[in-house]
Amino acid sequence: MATIEIRDIGKNYGDVRVLDGLNLDIGDGEFIVLLGPSGCGKSTMLRMIAGLEDVDSGTIAIGSKVVNNLAPGDRRVAMVFQSYALYPHMTVFDNIAFGLRRLRVPKLEITRRVDEVAKLLAIDGLLARKPAQLSGGQQQRVAMARAMIKTPSVFLFDEPLSNLDAKLRDHLRVEIKRLHGMLGTTTIFVTHDQLEAMALADRIVVMNGGRIEQQGTPQEIYHAPQTLFVARFVGNPTINLLDGRVGTDGRIEYMSGSLDVGAARLDGLAPGSPLTIGIRARDLKLPGRLPEAAVAGRIDAKVELVELLGDEAQLDLLVGDKSLVVLVDGRTPPAIGSTLSLEVDRNALHLFDPESGRAIHKTGQKLHQAA
Amino acid sequence: MNHSASPGTGQPRRLRPEHRRFALVTLLPGLSLLILLSLIASVGAINLAFQDRMLRFPDAAYVGLENFERLFRDRRFANALQVSAIWEVVTVVCTMLLAVLLAILLVEGVRSPRVRNAICILLIIPVLLPRVSAGLIWRFLYSPTMGAANYPLTMLGLPPIEFLSDPQIALYAVALVDIWQWGLFFGVVLAKLIETLPKEPQEAARLDHAGTLGVYWWVALPMLRGPIIMMTFVKAIESLRSFDLIYTMTAGGPGISTETLDLYAFQQGIGISGRISYASSLSVLLMVMTVIIFSILWKRAARWAA
Amino acid sequence: MGRVTLRLGGGLLTWLIVLLALLPVFWTILSSFKSLRDIVSPIPVLVFQPTLENYRTVLTTPAVRDGLVNSIIVVGSALLIGVVLGVPAAYALARFVRRLKGDIQFFVLSLRFMPPVAVALPFIALWLDLGLYDTLIAVIVTYCIVTISTIIWLGVPAFEQVPRAIEEAAALEGYGPFAVFWKVALPVAAPSLVGAVLFTFVITWNELLIALALTSRNVTLPVVAAGFTTLGMEVPWGVINASSVVLALPPLILVGLIMRFIDRYFSRPAR
């Protein structure tokens, strides 16, 4: 069990600064997900914690002990790789036992512990096989067994599910969550998949361009994105963004109308200053679905396309020359070509400063709690 | 090397007639020439081995197994057999050891891919040298009076080593040249192969408490088992071609201390004695041995390597 | 930290090996520009008056010039025959032979197992009987065993790398097998094939035993160079060094190219 403190770590590849003075504290037993697009530095950070990459500046401490100069094997961390990274020439048993053998653990104990871990991951029937004879899902279980058997203080997962098909991915995700609940080991999980992040994390750390954009619980990240980047990166379908301006009396003007968000929300902003309005696809409602008090305004839009997704239908709408995406009940979707007057939920509006990309929050409205 | 049959696209489908024709037209000339020449070589050698032909005279008579009987009483043949065996073992083992060590050094010690590539180019120079050139170069180096190999010794006031005229040393001194040529080359090849390995299993091993050399021993080298077995096999075949180097450097001397089988066969059949039939009986034995041993080894190696 | 030590130590050791590995070559090249007096000096001479005398001697020796011409003719012809017969055969093997493919490849490889002396002896007898002993034609034909088999052996994987789909696309355009081979497969496989040809060139250029056995006057360059050492009592080391360099020059000029093919051949993901 261990806490992790990361202080001002930086990393360069040649002239490229991949990590730019990053700080992060991770509590004992916490499940942290590093989320971000490829190239944001999340994997590099994970590999630096593992000791697979040198730290150019700053310190990394595991269990309050600085590990910058410790070999990977001496950090009490275990890692699960995207490519599984099994030793292809060894049987499953030997793969799992490899680390214990290097530590000269007695044979009998190795056998006992391998059996134990294998049972836990339901791979006890596969111990004599070689990795090439296993399916992707089985291989990843073996990789997890190999990591678990070392009883590490920290688990590191580097996009462990992205090589698997969707069904297996869901399945193993649940499994990882279950194992974490059981073992309570501090875990850092890297992914670019926001669904995975939402489902697994105690806390999500969104990274972009070698910096941390925002960290918080999945709810905070989803419902209170602090930057445009986070708002756009998290959420499916992607959040709708409209350009607008600060009007008078707590109103925001956008191209074809205005939204009443309340004066408090716009406090301190000069009328006429530009804004970016973010509205998630589920927060635009068909007429009559919101209590009148919650309606900030209405947007008239024409239905261009209807995609049935099952329970829901995704509508592609046009407002002037701007397209919006809205999710509505899939049983009675509006017809293509019809015009809708969509109601905007005041409490679900996200406002950003287009210049800095930062969210505009006012006290009292900072965190909208999910209904 | 283990080229599996074509993937996908209708494997069991019959060949179309125009493809059959194409295959026939292109394969027939080359293959029939090869088969003809190899038949001449093998049948010709066997035929000669049962005669008493001398190089100087065109006539010959069949003498049955006489050449082979003489061969088994020939102590120079026994010596050549022993020299060949030592040569084979020493050059193959040392080449592979040098190759493995050098490959690890190249990958671990030289970080910049550019520099590494430049070094690799330099290191394959020796294997490209004609064996005659390599032999001459090292004869010059080994020279007791002016050879660079002896400078360090003479500088310290020690007597020079007679690398090529000491029967105890000569074979190993020549073997060193072979190892110099092939070990460096295979080291470069192995370094290239290590570079192509996926990095993750090696990183996993580092997290699993393996040291740098441990990672190679437990993971990287076993992952290259197939290519390493193949390289050992190729080297074992190439080591049979010791003639050029030994002929240039010692011509079998001093005495017969570096006389390998092919050198002895050459001396008997083509050198001064010109007893081509006797030499043929030797070379037939050599051929049968190598073709049988290496055919078996090849099938085995292919299986091990899989 | 062990890793860092290994890295530093490894770096130094690597350079030491490079130095030691190249010293013989460097020393020979240096000495080929020395006069005999500087060569036989018991203390290594690094600063000296360079002379081209050795090269003049080597290149004006008729035996060397004839050897060079013979080598070029022999290696060039054997290589040409090897390419003409071997490359299409390799393509057919890679694409149109199924049941016998393994056996043919093994036969071709097994020619590599044959001890050269076992090849040389019966061919001496053959060429003597045919009255072709000591002719270039005899050497060329004998060398064809090496060139054809090596080019087939290395050519098959070169053609197997060509994506089948582009050949099939060409066939759909109405190309016959010859046109597909000539216009599609050959150009695509060409870079790898050049490597096979270079490799075969180096093997045949460097060959000594068969040339030595099959000729007495019409000898190739390796035979000439090997013969220098047995000249008289005083060993002409300057001339020997110069002739080593001249003999080694053609393969060495190709070193950069050959490296590129080693890269191409081995830097693919290992099976």
Side-chain angles (χ1 to χ4, degrees), chain A residues 14-178:
Chain A
D15 295 338
V16 186
R17 187 137 181 91
V18 283
L19 285 180
D20 193 11
L22 233 138
N23 286 289
L24 187 61
D25 284 285
I26 298 170
D28 185 19
E30 208 177 359
F31 198 120
I32 292 281
V33 172
L34 301 182
L35 176 66
S38 58
C40 72
K42 57 190 192 302
S43 281
T44 306
M45 175 138 131
L46 194 75
R47 293 167 54 81
M48 286 166 85
I49 296 169
L52 297 173
E53 301 273 349
D54 295 333
V55 179
D56 288 352
S57 60
T59 58
I60 297 175
I62 299 177
S64 63
K65 179 179 176 204
V66 174
V67 295
N68 281 31
N69 293 328
L70 280 188
D74 301 335
R75 296 186 178 199
R76 297 190 48 73
V77 300
M79 184 155 166
V80 177
F81 295 79
Q82 177 176 2
S83 59
Y84 323 132
L86 298 179
Y87 312 124
H89 54 291
M90 296 183 199
T91 61
V92 168
F93 185 96
D94 292 338
N95 260 282
I96 301 173
F98 184 86
L100 297 186
R101 289 197 177 135
R102 299 289 84 70
L103 290 175
R104 301 187 191 288
V105 173
K107 254 199 176 111
L108 271 173
E109 194 191 334
I110 293 182
T111 315
R112 186 179 59 74
R113 281 168 68 178
V114 171
D115 283 343
E116 198 180 292
V117 175
K119 277 214 186 68
L120 195 66
L121 284 160
I123 47 170
D124 42 341
L126 309 173
L127 290 177
R129 297 210 198 158
K130 293 267 181 78
Q133 299 164 296
L134 303 179
S135 71
Q138 289 169 331
Q139 289 188 44
Q140 198 53 296
R141 281 161 186 277
V142 175
M144 279 160 61
R146 185 177 64 182
M148 272 173 58
I149 199 164
K150 297 192 291 185
T151 55
S153 2
V154 180
F155 272 127
L156 305 172
F157 288 89
D158 191 4
E159 310 222 14
L161 307 179
S162 23
N163 283 6
L164 302 172
D165 62 52
K167 255 214 172 105
L168 256 174
R169 199 152 55 209
D170 294 349
H171 189 74
L172 267 172
R173 200 171 60 204
V174 174
E175 194 117 333
I176 290 173
K177 188 80 180 163
R178 178 177 71 90

Side-chain angles (χ1 to χ4, degrees), chain A residues 202-370:
Chain A
D202 293 332
R203 182 153 53 108
I204 295 177
V205 176
V206 183
M207 290 179 63
N208 180 33
R211 295 161 177 278
I212 292 178
E213 284 277 333
Q214 182 178 355
Q215 45 177 310
T217 62
Q219 283 88 351
E220 287 169 338
I221 296 291
Y222 186 82
H223 294 291
Q226 276 163 18
T227 65
L228 260 175
F229 174 83
V230 175
R232 265 195 298 238
F233 192 76
V234 178
N236 187 27
T238 309
I239 194 167
N240 295 302
L241 295 174
L242 293 171
D243 297 329
R245 285 179 182 286
V246 178
T248 49
D249 305 330
R251 299 187 78 83
I252 298 171
E253 287 160 9
Y254 68 97
M255 50 186 176
S256 60
S258 66
L259 298 170
D260 177 9
V261 296
R265 187 88 187 262
L266 299 176
D267 192 23
L269 294 174
S273 44
L275 283 172
T276 300
I277 310 159
I279 313 165
R280 295 216 183 269
R282 283 186 183 76
D283 296 331
L284 281 167
K285 306 282 188 188
L286 293 180
R289 305 286 158 93
L290 276 178
E292 192 53 37
V295 177
R298 290 183 170 77
I299 297 177
D300 295 327
K302 193 167 155 240
V303 181
E304 287 281 297
L305 202 68
V306 177
E307 277 178 274
L308 279 177
L309 306 175
D311 285 345
E312 292 176 310
Q314 178 173 325
L315 311 182
D316 285 18
L317 308 163
L318 263 185
V319 186
D321 61 349
K322 189 100 181 117
S323 61
L324 290 180
V325 176
V326 175
L327 285 173
V328 298
D329 192 318
R331 276 165 297 193
T332 51
I336 293 176
S338 59
T339 305
L340 302 175
S341 182
L342 293 163
E343 295 177 344
V344 179
D345 185 343
R346 176 177 296 137
N347 295 318
L349 268 180
H350 304 281
L351 301 180
F352 301 94
D353 177 348
E355 199 92 345
S356 67
R358 304 215 54 89
I360 297 165
H361 291 300
K362 286 299 150 210
T363 3
Q365 280 164 309
K366 197 170 201 164
L367 293 185
H368 160 90
Q369 290 307 312

Side-chain angles (χ1 to χ4, degrees), chain C:
Chain C
M1 286 284 94
R3 202 175 167 79
V4 177
T5 336
L6 189 93
R7 231 163 235 165
L8 286 177
L12 279 175
L13 201 55
T14 315
W15 282 109
L16 195 71
I17 290 180
V18 173
L19 201 71
L20 279 177
L22 291 179
L23 204 64
V25 179
F26 172 73
W27 190 242
T28 299
I29 294 174
L30 203 67
S31 301
S32 68
F33 292 105
K34 287 180 184 173
S35 62
L36 198 59
R37 187 168 41 84
D38 288 325
I39 292 176
V40 297
S41 142
I43 301 153
V45 181
L46 282 173
V47 183
F48 57 92
Q49 185 70 43
T51 168
L52 286 174
E53 193 49 42
N54 298 319
Y55 285 96
R56 197 168 301 129
T57 313
V58 166
L59 295 175
T60 52
T61 307
V64 172
R65 271 186 305 180
D66 293 349
L68 191 62
V69 172
N70 288 343
S71 266
I72 291 170
I73 295 174
V74 166
V75 173
S77 314
L79 209 53
L80 189 70
I81 297 172
V83 169
V84 169
L85 295 183
V87 170
Y91 176 67
L93 262 185
R95 285 290 187 254
F96 306 126
V97 180
R98 283 170 200 160
R99 232 169 344 103
L100 289 175
K101 183 175 173 187
D103 293 326
I104 295 178
Q105 278 187 294
F106 181 71
F107 164 67
V108 167
L109 175 78
S110 70
L111 295 179
R112 246 354 244 163
F113 304 167
M114 287 231 274
V117 70
V119 175
L121 290 167
F123 273 101
I124 297 180
L126 177 77
W127 300 129
L128 272 174
D129 294 346
L130 293 178
L132 287 171
Y133 179 78
D134 200 17
T135 61
L136 295 185
I137 293 177
V139 184
I140 292 169
V141 172
T142 317
Y143 272 7
C144 280
I145 300 183
V146 179
T147 55
I148 299 175
S149 63
T150 312
I151 287 178
I152 292 183
W153 177 244
L154 292 173
V156 171
F159 281 116
E160 278 172 342
Q161 277 170 264
V162 178
R164 217 169 248 268
I166 54 174
E167 286 176 32
E168 285 167 347
L172 287 176
E173 300 278 324
Y175 284 33
F178 285 95
V180 171
F181 165 67
W182 188 251
K183 296 201 168 134
V184 181
L186 193 60
V188 176
S192 302
L193 289 173
V194 171
V197 173
L198 284 179
F199 183 72
T200 315
F201 165 77
V202 173
I203 293 180
T204 37
W205 179 267
N206 295 356
E207 209 284 332
L208 173 67
L209 194 154
I210 290 174
L212 193 61
L214 295 186
T215 56
S216 60
R217 277 170 296 116
N218 287 315
V219 294
T220 56
L221 201 52
V223 182
V224 179
F228 269 128
T229 54
T230 46
L231 282 178
M233 283 305 291
E234 177 134 2
V235 184
W237 277 113
V239 175
I240 290 178
N241 285 332
S243 61
S244 304
V245 173
V246 170
L247 176 62
L249 220 48
L252 286 193
I253 289 171
L254 301 171
V255 65
L257 262 183
I258 288 172
M259 191 67 214
R260 206 156 342 132
F261 291 105
I262 293 175
D263 266 335
R264 174 184 279 277
Y265 202 83
F266 292 104
S267 296
R268 277 179 283 150
R271 282 182 289 137

Side-chain angles (χ1 to χ4, degrees), chain B residues 1-7 9-15 18-19 22-23 25-27 29-31 33-35 37-38 40-41 44-45 48 53 55 58 102 105-106 108-111 115 117 119-133 136-141 145-146 148 151 154 180 184-185 188-189 192-193 196-197 206 212-213 224 226-227 233 237-238 240-241 243-244 247-248 262 265-266 269-270 276 279-280 283 286-287 290-291 294-295 298-299 305-306, chain C residues 2-3 6-7 9-11 13-15 17-18 20-22 24-25 27-28 31 39-45 81 85 88-89 91-93 95-98 101 104-126 128-129 141-142 144-145 148-149 152-153 157 160 164 168 177-178 181 202 205-209 212-213 222 225-226 229 237 240-241 243-245 247-248 251-252 254-256 258-259 262-263 265-271:
Chain B
M1 302 181 194
N2 178 17
H3 298 290
S4 58
S6 50
T9 56
Q11 183 58 19
R13 167 195 70 176
R14 281 182 63 82
L15 270 185
E18 70 262 31
H19 288 156
F22 177 85
V25 171
T26 52
L27 277 171
L31 278 185
L33 185 58
L34 276 185
I35 290 169
L37 291 173
S38 61
I40 291 174
L48 274 175
R53 186 160 176 179
L55 210 48
L102 178 63
L105 275 179
L106 280 173
E108 287 296 318
V110 188
R111 303 302 301 286
V115 176
N117 216 40
I119 289 180
C120 285
I121 290 183
L122 293 176
L123 290 180
I124 65 164
I125 286 177
V127 83
L128 293 179
L129 292 177
R131 289 241 149 175
V132 172
S133 290
L136 293 175
I137 287 172
W138 281 83
R139 256 184 82 166
F140 182 50
L141 284 179
T145 50
M146 58 195 166
Y151 283 143
T154 43
W180 172 68
L184 297 179
F185 171 56
V188 168
V189 168
K192 297 274 165 200
L193 288 171
T196 64
L197 283 180
R206 285 174 63 195
T212 307
L213 293 179
L224 288 172
F233 183 77
I237 292 174
E238 285 307 320
L240 290 173
R241 300 155 188 272
F243 175 85
D244 297 4
Y247 178 82
T248 317
D262 52 355
F266 182 89
I270 299 153
I276 190 167
S280 283
S283 77
L286 186 61
M287 184 161 65
T290 53
V291 169
F294 281 99
S295 295
W298 167 252
K299 305 256 147 135
Chain C
R3 202 175 167 79
L6 189 93
R7 231 163 235 165
L13 201 55
T14 315
W15 282 109
I17 290 180
V18 173
L20 279 177
L22 291 179
V25 179
W27 190 242
T28 299
S31 301
I39 292 176
V40 297
S41 142
I43 301 153
V45 181
I81 297 172
L85 295 183
Y91 176 67
L93 262 185
R95 285 290 187 254
F96 306 126
V97 180
R98 283 170 200 160
K101 183 175 173 187
I104 295 178
Q105 278 187 294
F106 181 71
F107 164 67
V108 167
L109 175 78
S110 70
L111 295 179
R112 246 354 244 163
F113 304 167
M114 287 231 274
V117 70
V119 175
L121 290 167
F123 273 101
I124 297 180
L126 177 77
L128 272 174
D129 294 346
V141 172
T142 317
C144 280
I145 300 183
I148 299 175
S149 63
I152 292 183
W153 177 244
E160 278 172 342
R164 217 169 248 268
E168 285 167 347
F178 285 95
F181 165 67
V202 173
W205 179 267
N206 295 356
E207 209 284 332
L208 173 67
L209 194 154
L212 193 61
T229 54
W237 277 113
I240 290 178
N241 285 332
S243 61
S244 304
V245 173
L247 176 62
L252 286 193
L254 301 171
V255 65
I258 288 172
M259 191 67 214
I262 293 175
D263 266 335
Y265 202 83
F266 292 104
S267 296
R268 277 179 283 150
R271 282 182 289 137

